[in-house]
Every structure is written in structure tokens, then in C-alpha cells.
Amino acid sequence: MESKNTESGQLTDLTIEDLNSAVQKWESDLRFYKDDLIFIQHIMDHYISVILLHENLDEIRESTMRLEDLKYRCDGLLKNIASLRRKMGDSFQEDVNNALLTGYSKLKVRIKGFKSDFKALKVEIFSIADNAIEIGKREKKDLDATDPN
């Protein structure tokens, strides 16, 4: 996608096709992230008993709240994409107007922030789950060592 920043910071030389292509990719990415958030929730649910016994409860509560916030933000971004698509559909011009560029630019920044927050939370949750798995292995090993059979 060819885009240029002018001195005022506005994007120029974008066509409706360019915007549509970017918006389609964002929508696809966000749908993947939404599915991944559900998977992360399942991981937390699966290991919750070990996590609650061995992890800092405030940290777990904070991670859970951020997970819920990311789910909410993802849904909101998908709604914003649908709204931008409607506006793009209403634009019968080949040139992109300032309202579309503004909406596109704001959405681009919000999606970038979402992706960054998602990646950080995913690393954190996987670290917690990995710790829970290791604790489970140690506990199983300890049980096996004390089993006389």
C-alpha cells in the first residue's frame, strides 16, 4: 500500500482499494486474536487450581482483568472496522476523503496498541501456565516417589 505523510501528518495517495485491503487484513487479524483470547482463557481455566495455590492472587486477578479488557477491545475494534467499511462503501469516489483517512489513522493506532498489549498478556499467561505445568510435574513426581507400589 502506497501512502505518504504530508507535513501536516495526513496520509495521501491512498485509494479505497488500499484502505479496503488494510481493513480486510485488520479484520482477519482481529478475528484470529479473538479466537486466541478464547484459547488463553481456556488455558487459565484449565490450570486455575494450580495457579491459585502457587501464584500471586493479585497478579492473577490483574491478568484476568487485562484478558477481559482485551476481549472487550477486540470486539470494539471489530465494530469500528465494520463502521469504517460502511463509510468506505458509502464513498463512491476513487479518492479517499479526509474523514476516511482520519478514521483509518485512528483505527490503525488503536489496533497497533491492541496487538502490543495482546502479545504482552499472552507471554505473561503462557509463563503462568508453564509454571503451573512445572508445579504439576513436580507434585506428580513427589507422589510417585512416595507411592510404595
Side-chain angles (χ1 to χ4, degrees):
M1 175 186 320
E2 286 285 323
S3 65
K4 299 177 185 173
N5 287 329
T6 63
E7 289 178 20
S8 65
Q10 291 292 325
L11 298 169
T12 60
D13 297 335
L14 289 175
T15 66
I16 291 291
E17 291 81 22
D18 294 333
L19 289 180
N20 192 43
S21 177
V23 169
Q24 282 179 340
K25 181 171 181 350
W26 291 345
E27 185 175 26
S28 175
D29 289 351
L30 286 170
R31 292 195 185 283
F32 175 79
Y33 285 123
K34 187 173 181 170
D35 289 343
D36 222 8
L37 288 167
I38 292 168
F39 174 71
I40 291 170
Q41 181 68 56
H42 287 300
I43 288 173
M44 287 187 70
D45 292 346
H46 182 74
Y47 294 109
I48 194 69
S49 61
V50 175
I51 290 170
L52 290 177
L53 290 174
H54 299 282
E55 295 286 339
N56 180 335
L57 292 180
D58 289 333
E59 182 181 328
I60 300 302
R61 185 178 301 116
E62 184 179 314
S63 296
T64 301
M65 288 172 46
R66 288 191 313 190
L67 177 64
E68 291 303 317
D69 178 59
L70 283 174
K71 288 179 186 178
Y72 177 79
R73 285 172 56 194
C74 188
D75 287 338
L77 288 168
L78 286 168
K79 288 178 185 175
N80 291 141
I81 285 174
S83 175
L84 184 61
R85 285 184 144 202
R86 280 191 301 276
K87 290 176 185 173
M88 288 168 43
D90 292 343
S91 178
F92 296 109
Q93 309 161 341
E94 282 297 312
D95 293 330
V96 178
N97 62 38
N98 284 337
L100 285 178
L101 285 176
T102 300
Y104 170 84
S105 296
K106 287 180 181 179
L107 196 52
K108 184 177 182 177
V109 169
R110 290 181 59 211
I111 288 172
K112 183 178 179 182
F114 171 84
K115 287 180 177 183
S116 175
D117 293 346
F118 172 85
K119 288 175 185 175
L121 181 66
K122 186 174 181 179
V123 167
E124 182 179 321
I125 298 297
F126 280 17
S127 175
I128 291 169
D130 186 48
N131 189 35
I133 290 168
E134 290 302 317
I135 290 169
K137 286 180 183 178
R138 281 196 308 267
E139 289 175 351
K140 183 179 182 333
K141 184 178 178 182
D142 292 345
L143 282 176
D144 290 344
T146 60
D147 188 13
N149 295 349

